[in-house]
Amino acid sequence: MRTALLLGEDVVKAIQSKRVIIFGVGGVGSWCAESLIRSGIKNMTIVDSDRVCASNVNRQLMATTQTIGEVKVDVLRKRLLDINPDAEVTAIQDIYDEDTASDYDLQSYDYVIDAIDSLKDKALLILETTKTDATLFSSMGAALKLDPQKIKTAEFWKVKGCPLGAALRRKFKHNKTFPSKKFTCVYSEELIKNRGENTDKEGTVNTPSQTEGPGRQDLLNHDWSTRKAQINGTLSHTTAIFGFQLAGLVIQDIYHKTIDKKSE
């Protein structure tokens, strides 16, 4: 196996023993999930409330014209198990927020990946995760980015030029509630403007009936993700790099902890 050839069997075993939960499996989280499974993670939980919509096809791993209308986590779980049938992938169609936070035992995971869009829910996940022993890696805003060379990582309080990062810091300061420990983020200082018009269709998030309901063309035109307050343009290469960076942070962390432990 090429992974073991590079990392060594001891690191591969360490990777296989870790438990990872990913909140948000859109343009960032979906690519992170696949990279982690391909790298050897065998116990993963993926959390997202949405269904695949037509506007997802340009950047989300599991979004194709054939999966529109399907539950994102279910489609992604099937793909991940196609890659590694021995993996344990738990798919949860849910939103992480004040009402559901208590349903998640974050302490039981080794790594928590934050790829949430909502500012309020993202802040809550950061606060709750940093109270635990789990290692948190968080994605800042991946929209309005074009240059892959500007994507980088930094400790949260050192993230610069990212409106989402700035909004999170303002929220923590305003509420006088701060993360309990440091954590690393993926971000980009680049911020370009939308040049086109927003053509996403609005609609209600429903479960299509198998016997009646929207036809194929209705599914193609339906946007299952209209809860977002603002919609910005995105590209697959930038969102995917954000996701791969998050996956890389996890694998690097396991690698160095395993090597360092052996050298003690």
Side-chain angles (χ1 to χ4, degrees), residues 62-236:
M62 60 284 170
T64 70
T65 57
Q66 298 305 306
T67 61
I68 289 172
E70 296 183 32
V71 175
K72 284 184 182 179
V73 290
D74 291 344
V75 181
L76 182 58
R77 179 179 183 273
K78 181 180 183 302
R79 178 177 173 89
L80 298 179
L81 291 178
D82 283 343
I83 295 168
N84 184 1
D86 294 327
E88 294 182 17
V89 180
T90 301
I92 302 176
Q93 187 186 15
D94 194 16
I95 298 173
Y96 183 91
D97 59 17
E98 292 178 346
D99 295 328
T100 64
S102 61
D103 296 337
Y104 298 91
D105 181 12
L106 300 178
Q107 177 65 44
S108 68
Y109 294 93
D110 298 289
Y111 294 92
V112 175
I113 304 297
D114 159 38
I116 293 176
D117 292 328
S118 163
L119 177 67
K120 182 180 179 181
D121 299 340
K122 192 178 198 73
L124 178 63
L125 179 62
I126 289 170
L127 292 174
E128 292 302 313
T129 302
T130 56
K131 294 176 185 177
T132 73
D133 294 328
T135 298
L136 170 68
F137 293 121
S138 178
S139 172
M140 296 293 103
L144 302 178
K145 315 296 182 189
L146 178 63
D147 188 348
Q149 297 181 85
K150 293 182 179 179
I151 300 170
K152 59 187 77 174
T153 64
E155 197 281 320
F156 172 68
W157 294 102
K158 295 181 180 179
V159 170
K160 297 179 180 179
C162 175
L164 179 55
L168 282 167
R169 289 192 292 272
R170 287 195 300 270
K171 185 174 184 64
F172 291 142
K173 291 175 181 177
H174 179 266
N175 294 338
K176 296 181 179 179
T177 307
F178 301 94
S180 300
K181 61 183 179 183
K182 295 181 178 181
F183 60 97
T184 301
C185 302
V186 179
Y187 75 104
S188 170
E189 295 182 29
E190 182 183 29
L191 197 65
I192 62 177
K193 294 181 179 180
N194 290 315
R195 295 190 67 248
E197 295 182 3
N198 178 20
T199 57
D200 286 347
K201 307 280 186 180
E202 292 189 0
T204 304
V205 178
N206 295 316
T207 303
S209 167
Q210 295 193 3
T211 57
E212 54 182 294
R216 186 67 192 161
Q217 193 58 45
D218 290 333
L219 287 174
L220 290 172
N221 292 332
H222 195 100
D223 189 341
W224 302 97
S225 312
T226 53
R227 282 187 295 272
K228 294 183 180 180
Q230 184 176 352
I231 297 175
N232 287 312
T234 48
L235 290 167
S236 62

Side-chain angles (χ1 to χ4, degrees), residues 18-43:
K18 304 304 180 184
R19 302 185 74 235
V20 179
I21 184 167
I22 302 176
F23 290 95
V25 293
V28 174
S30 60
W31 297 99
C32 177
E34 171 146 337
S35 183
L36 287 174
I37 287 290
R38 289 187 184 275
S39 298
I41 292 293
K42 296 186 71 174
N43 193 312

